[in-house]
Amino acid sequence: MPTFAEFADQFLNWAKTNLANATVVLHRVNIDRLKQFFRGKLINEIDRKSAEEFKVWRAGQKRKNADSKVSGATVNRSLTTLKRIFNHADAMGLNVRNPVRHV
């Protein structure tokens, strides 16, 4: 079973071939944050509780060029990337549950 970081990189390579450039850029930024939070975890170790914890962690971060915190839309975009990664994992036969399903 791959680590989250390894599989996220595989997803990004797939995205470069199958998605628009702007979408790939968005996923790349989101994956950087997801990798920070899920560092060292196997992809099958990420569950709904850890996805909820990521959501709280991400919402508490400051924006890159301002003193305010990131918006709810930014958090949701990160969760969308996480969901797409797990959908891709399922399509690749990894047999993992999507932890974002009810988040």
Side-chain angles (χ1 to χ4, degrees):
M1 192 61 65
T3 65
F4 175 78
E6 291 168 343
F7 194 78
D9 289 340
Q10 289 177 24
F11 167 78
L12 206 51
N13 286 332
W14 171 86
K16 288 175 187 175
T17 304
N18 295 286
L19 302 175
N21 286 338
T23 305
V24 172
V25 169
L26 175 66
H27 285 315
R28 183 179 296 121
V29 170
N30 291 334
I31 284 171
D32 287 344
R33 297 294 177 258
L34 289 162
K35 282 181 176 180
Q36 284 178 344
F37 187 81
F38 294 117
R39 180 177 292 134
K41 287 196 175 211
L42 298 177
I43 194 162
N44 64 343
E45 293 176 326
I46 299 171
D47 57 8
R48 182 177 173 190
K49 181 179 181 241
S50 59
E52 287 284 355
E53 290 168 349
F54 169 78
K55 182 171 73 170
V56 171
W57 175 81
R58 186 70 175 117
Q61 291 186 315
K62 289 193 175 195
R63 291 175 54 194
K64 196 173 194 175
N65 298 321
D67 288 332
S68 60
K69 296 190 182 212
V70 297
S71 69
T74 298
V75 175
N76 286 338
R77 282 190 210 79
S78 294
L79 290 172
T80 298
T81 297
L82 184 60
K83 180 180 179 180
R84 298 271 322 249
I85 289 168
F86 274 87
N87 287 344
H88 183 67
D90 182 51
M92 296 293 103
L94 286 184
N95 195 26
V96 291
R97 291 192 120 212
N98 194 327
V100 188
R101 187 164 178 217
H102 294 288
V103 174

